Amino acid sequence: MSAIFSFQSLARCSQTKARAGVFFTPHGPVETPRFMPVGTLANVKTVTPAQLKETGAQMVLSNTYHLHLQPGEAIVAGGGGLHKFMGWNGPMLTDSGGFQVFSLSEMRKITEEGVTFRSPHDGQIIKLTPERSIEIQNTLGADVIMAFDECPPYPATRPEVEAATDRTYRWLERCVTAHQRQDQALFGIVQGGVYLDLRAKAANALTQLDLPGYAIGGVSVGEPPALMAQIVQATAPLLPPHKPRYLMGVGTYREMVIAIASGIDLFDCVIPTRWARHGTAIVKGERWNLKNAKFREDFAPMDETCPCYACQNFSRAYISHLVRSQEILAYTLLSIHNITELIRFTQKIREAILSDRFLEEFGHWLNSPELEAEDNATD
């Protein structure tokens, strides 16, 4: 790990593999475990950077694929790099574009060289290779950049998954060679589908490269929750204990608790802002549809225990009115609350790990009904 990146483990749960730590980056520390909001196009939808900071957000994601298409990495660089361009001075991560290419299954062709696809914006043919993905990410300037990978779908045959997993490793080697900036940490991604032996093989190969951090990818792509849990529980402990571990595309309460119990540190998902745009609030693990009639004359705060701007200043009735009226303020207030809710959840887990009360306080989530699952497509 570069001298400007480090991971410090502060405490471990005595009954699980959960851990609390700090990931140090050039733009500040990230206290783990931590939920990271998604800002695909260099913005977290409907929320300003100042509002985002008040939610407790420490690290934010953007997406290589989408920023390459619009406005283009050269414009971002001309604006001073991703942090200055979007007005966020905290740690940032860019995805490689591999997941978005996966979602364009009818518009792309995968070869050993890379992926050729047709731009959904103007129909232009675009070629994305490991080298090109890294070049774009080097230009964007996020603190953490992700290796370009092939994300196999679910379901897929074992030969298909094995081929994608092997290609992901070869692409990672090319990413390592192409990477040019010491102030950016390149994370590798463990693929392998639902085949645990392929996951183990991939994790072992990736750790030999001694990267600054590691991610588990290819989950939340349609597989049953029980299989996702198996993948994470089997794979996370295989990753180096002195490096940060990132589970990509996960953000429900139960998913995060299972992952944290397995030793995962970082998460991201579009749930808080996507659900907000559908008039939905996440309140103490429940999903509330503010369009429901019961909220029309409910003048209580959305959550009286929540410190966010929405809960401290407005009633359920008012936010329900905004949702019914399709006022943009509704989506801003709900996004602020939902992001705060998920970050607070991981903060509370961190505190429980530090006092060795993780299982006592959060163990019920390991077997409880899950918040409705949502994929991590572009927000």
Side-chain angles (χ1 to χ4, degrees):
M1 185 178 294
S2 169
I4 57 177
F5 292 93
S6 63
F7 178 78
Q8 181 182 5
S9 180
L10 301 178
R12 295 176 183 270
C13 172
S14 60
Q15 301 175 76
T16 70
K17 295 180 175 64
R19 61 191 196 164
V22 183
F23 176 40
F24 295 96
T25 80
H27 284 86
V30 183
E31 297 173 339
T32 64
R34 197 79 171 195
F35 176 81
M36 303 181 292
V38 176
T40 299
L41 279 163
N43 74 298
V44 177
K45 289 192 183 300
T46 74
V47 178
T48 70
Q51 292 168 328
L52 188 59
K53 187 173 183 179
E54 290 183 357
T55 68
Q58 290 182 335
M59 193 167 195
V60 177
L61 277 71
S62 284
N63 184 264
T64 300
Y65 165 83
H66 289 282
L67 288 174
H68 173 60
L69 296 181
Q70 176 65 37
E73 62 273 14
I75 290 177
V76 175
L82 194 52
H83 294 86
K84 186 174 181 181
F85 186 63
M86 68 176 286
W88 175 258
N89 61 5
M92 291 200 70
L93 180 152
T94 44
D95 192 2
S96 67
F99 182 87
Q100 282 64 40
V101 168
F102 151 80
S103 68
L104 295 171
S105 57
E106 296 180 1
M107 301 170 61
R108 50 91 167 136
K109 179 181 179 181
I110 300 175
T111 66
E112 186 64 26
E113 179 63 19
V115 181
T116 302
F117 62 94
R118 188 176 297 277
S119 168
H121 291 285
D122 56 14
Q124 178 184 356
I125 299 298
I126 297 175
K127 188 171 185 179
L128 197 57
T129 65
E131 292 81 6
R132 187 72 181 104
S133 174
I134 296 299
E135 180 185 11
I136 295 168
Q137 293 186 83
N138 284 165
T139 303
L140 292 172
D143 301 273
V144 174
I145 65 176
M146 301 304 299
F148 192 60
D149 62 330
E150 181 179 349
C151 180
Y154 178 87
T157 66
R158 182 184 174 91
E160 289 171 333
V161 174
E162 191 163 17
T165 305
D166 290 345
R167 181 177 288 124
T168 291
Y169 179 76
R170 294 192 296 271
W171 283 358
L172 172 59
E173 291 182 308
R174 289 164 58 187
C175 287
V176 171
T177 301
H179 184 35
Q180 297 295 317
R181 291 181 59 166
Q182 291 299 310
D183 61 343
Q184 292 180 304
L186 172 63
F187 281 24
I189 303 174
V190 178
Q191 291 289 354
V194 298
Y195 303 97
L196 299 186
D197 60 320
L198 295 183
R199 291 277 180 179
K201 177 184 175 184
N204 180 65
L206 265 62
T207 57
Q208 299 303 309
L209 296 177
D210 192 28
L211 300 169
Y214 296 88
I216 298 175
V219 298
S220 195
V221 293
E223 75 281 7
L227 277 180
M228 184 193 303
Q230 282 184 358
I231 292 166
V232 176
Q233 289 165 345
T235 307
L238 303 177
L239 301 176
H242 58 293
K243 304 288 180 71
R245 301 164 176 165
Y246 163 34
L247 180 61
M248 306 178 76
V250 162
T252 70
Y253 278 40
R254 184 168 182 267
E255 288 171 346
M256 289 194 291
V257 171
I258 289 173
I260 289 169
S262 305
I264 293 293
D265 306 301
L266 299 167
F267 311 86
D268 78 283
C269 193
V270 300
I271 279 176
T273 48
R274 175 175 291 173
W275 285 4
R277 296 196 304 280
H278 288 85
T280 298
I282 305 169
V283 181
K284 298 179 181 177
E286 297 180 356
R287 183 177 179 181
W288 290 6
N289 182 353
L290 272 296
K291 297 175 185 175
N292 287 347
K294 67 179 181 179
F295 294 115
R296 294 187 71 144
E297 297 182 49
D298 186 343
F299 300 104
M302 199 145 52
D303 180 354
E304 65 280 356
T305 69
C306 179
C308 83
Y309 176 76
C311 290
Q312 291 297 310
N313 291 279
F314 305 101
S315 67
R316 300 167 186 175
Y318 178 66
I319 298 175
S320 175
H321 153 66
L322 294 178
V323 170
R324 291 167 175 274
S325 304
Q326 297 184 321
E327 286 289 339
I328 293 173
L329 180 59
Y331 313 136
T332 295
L333 295 178
L334 286 171
S335 292
I336 288 171
H337 169 74
N338 288 349
I339 294 169
T340 302
E341 175 77 8
L342 292 185
I343 291 173
R344 284 180 73 215
F345 185 68
T346 53
Q347 285 177 307
K348 290 175 183 176
I349 291 177
R350 186 176 194 273
E351 293 167 3
I353 296 170
L354 289 170
S355 60
D356 202 14
R357 295 174 57 86
F358 169 67
L359 206 56
E360 180 178 343
E361 296 184 16
F362 293 92
H364 63 282
W365 283 103
L366 296 173
N367 299 303
S368 66
E370 184 173 8
L371 215 64
E372 185 177 336
E374 183 83 11
D375 66 17
N376 193 34
T378 301
D379 192 23

